[in-house]
Amino acid sequence: MAASSEIPRFTGDASPFGGGDPYADYRTADFPFTRYVDLAARTLGAGVIAANDEFFAQRENLLVAGPAEFDPEHFGHKGKIMDGWETRRRRGTGADHPWPTADDHDWALVRLGAPGVIRGIVVDTAHFRGNYPQAVSVEAATVAGAPTPDELLAPDVKWTTLVPRTAVGGHAANGFEVDAEQRFTHLRVNQHPDGGIARLRVYGEVVPDPEWLATLGTFDVVALANGGRAEDASNLFYSPASNTIQPGYSRKMDDGWETRRRRDNGNDWISYRLVAQAQIRALEIDTAYLKGNSAGWASVSVRDVSESGDGDWVEVLPRTRLQPDTNHRFVLDAPAVGTHARVDIFPDGGISRLRLFGSLTDQGASQLAAQYAELGA
């Protein structure tokens, strides 16, 4: 379960900040697993529910959206204020051994916003140049419901090591590929022996609870939180396609999907994988906050790639005029059965959200239940 040797490694201090752009000497790389959704995103409901120490900087900063910020003049009563989670310096047992022991470490408990299979983790130490941890480790557990920190730390909870104790670098994106085909709900992030971490990102695939979806009956079968996924898109110039299936309504223009301006006679599109085979009965296309740059028209198609399907695209919403900054609702004449969906916009522009309301077929429910059991949930 250790990280792949192909993943770049950063160790050691970064140079002290010398002015100018604080990210100029930031060490990072293109990690292949970042194509998956961040299961620890606050927009999905993730949270850092406990930490043993947060003397210099609060644990909640770990999951803040966007890169960490740095203000060299920002100091408080306890010292330099950092945009991350930072603990005090650990000390030894006495004057004859003033150094931390090999087992000394600080920890934080993270509730994933959407339980799922984890494909990769980034422990980001941006701006922690000489005060980052010497090493980190990450464990994961599956606990139903909304457990308290004490319940998570109980001796009967089984923790699986995703990232063994590994040296990391300061002011760097430390990436770890994960190979554990299990569904997890919580993480325990450890820093050895102490220090600071700016951001935590946990990339993976959402695995919903089939019993919960069955109880709901009708739900959004493409929603990220329910296990849907944006698989591909024609253009990602301004924003990711996965924004269109995030929870809730868009709150600003870059919270949706927007393409560059086309100078040809083509059109832009996004393709999605549904949570499982489903019957779609209604849909919404929202252009909230896209006023001078919303799509002019849109169409929606569905295809069934399953044992009973032929895989051909079937248009369920013909090319329809869209209004800027508006939520459009459509009821289908007949339920559309499929495992995948596609929205085409004409000629370019963007949408903020796509919602496909329906329910799982018997085949889809069976497949989802089998996957859930196979992943140890």
Side-chain angles (χ1 to χ4, degrees):
M1 291 181 229
S4 166
S5 60
E6 298 177 359
I7 300 296
R9 285 282 168 265
F10 306 108
T11 56
D13 294 348
S15 299
F17 178 61
D21 180 5
Y23 274 103
D25 59 341
Y26 177 66
R27 295 176 287 178
T28 188
D30 291 327
F31 302 118
F33 50 75
T34 56
R35 64 188 177 91
Y36 295 100
V37 63
D38 181 6
L39 301 177
R42 285 289 296 166
T43 52
L44 288 177
V48 187
I49 62 175
N52 71 307
D53 186 298
E54 46 187 328
F55 186 85
F56 286 114
Q58 296 174 328
R59 65 183 190 265
E60 288 88 354
N61 290 333
L62 283 173
L63 305 187
V64 171
E69 298 179 356
F70 181 71
D71 181 352
E73 305 300 327
H74 197 190
F75 286 83
H77 295 295
K78 294 181 179 180
K80 182 72 184 73
I81 296 177
M82 298 293 290
D83 185 8
W85 168 50
E86 185 180 7
T87 66
R88 72 193 78 201
R89 299 188 188 219
R90 281 185 171 269
R91 297 299 186 229
T93 55
D96 58 336
H97 197 286
W99 309 280
T101 69
D103 293 331
D104 282 345
H105 68 279
D106 293 317
W107 53 263
L109 296 176
V110 177
R111 178 192 65 243
L112 297 180
V117 177
I118 298 170
R119 301 302 183 190
I121 295 172
V122 174
V123 177
D124 189 348
T125 58
H127 315 304
F128 289 94
R129 296 170 176 269
N131 51 345
Y132 59 95
Q134 181 185 42
V136 300
S137 60
V138 181
E139 303 159 279
T142 302
V143 182
T148 66
D150 286 343
E151 289 171 334
L152 285 172
L153 296 173
D156 61 335
V157 174
K158 178 186 176 182
W159 290 92
T160 300
T161 299
L162 302 185
V163 179
R165 183 169 175 167
T166 306
V168 295
H171 196 45
N174 299 278
F176 304 93
E177 199 165 32
V178 175
D179 182 17
E181 290 295 323
Q182 291 178 250
R183 178 184 184 268
F184 295 113
T185 60
H186 293 78
L187 295 186
R188 184 162 61 191
V189 181
N190 307 302
Q191 48 178 338
H192 309 265
D194 53 36
I197 298 170
R199 296 287 188 268
L200 175 73
R201 304 297 185 227
V202 183
Y203 297 99
E205 300 175 76
V206 177
V207 179
D209 181 347
E211 184 178 353
W212 172 253
L213 296 183
T215 301
L216 292 179
T218 297
F219 60 94
D220 185 354
V221 298
V222 76
L224 200 59
N226 293 333
R229 183 198 300 178
E231 289 196 317
D232 199 4
S234 60
N235 188 275
L236 302 172
F237 189 83
Y238 287 112
S239 45
S242 59
N243 280 357
T244 60
I245 52 176
Q246 290 279 0
Y249 291 98
S250 177
R251 294 166 294 177
K252 52 183 179 174
M253 191 174 74
D254 65 352
D255 194 18
W257 171 62
E258 182 187 358
T259 71
R260 63 164 63 93
R261 298 189 187 210
R262 275 191 170 267
R263 302 305 189 207
D264 58 24
N265 292 328
N267 75 285
D268 289 312
W269 51 267
I270 305 174
S271 61
Y272 305 87
R273 187 186 71 183
L274 309 184
V275 55
Q277 188 190 63
Q279 282 190 333
I280 301 168
R281 293 185 284 275
L283 61 92
E284 290 184 0
I285 301 176
D286 195 352
T287 59
Y289 291 97
L290 297 164
K291 298 183 178 181
N293 49 355
S294 68
W297 292 262
S299 65
V300 176
S301 302
V302 171
R303 70 172 176 172
D304 187 15
V305 183
S306 65
E307 297 174 0
S308 59
D310 56 16
D312 291 334
W313 287 106
V314 176
E315 190 176 70
V316 297
L317 178 72
R319 193 179 303 186
T320 302
R321 189 75 168 95
L322 300 182
Q323 298 300 315
D325 195 27
T326 301
N327 190 26
H328 308 76
R329 291 179 172 176
F330 306 94
V331 176
L332 303 186
D333 293 335
V337 175
T339 57
H340 294 72
R342 170 176 166 137
V343 59
D344 284 84
I345 63 170
F346 302 87
D348 56 20
I351 61 173
S352 62
R353 295 290 188 270
L354 173 72
R355 300 178 182 88
L356 304 178
F357 297 105
S359 56
L360 298 182
T361 63
D362 290 343
Q363 179 180 314
S366 296
Q367 290 176 338
L368 188 61
Q371 178 196 31
Y372 190 76
E374 183 181 341
L375 294 172

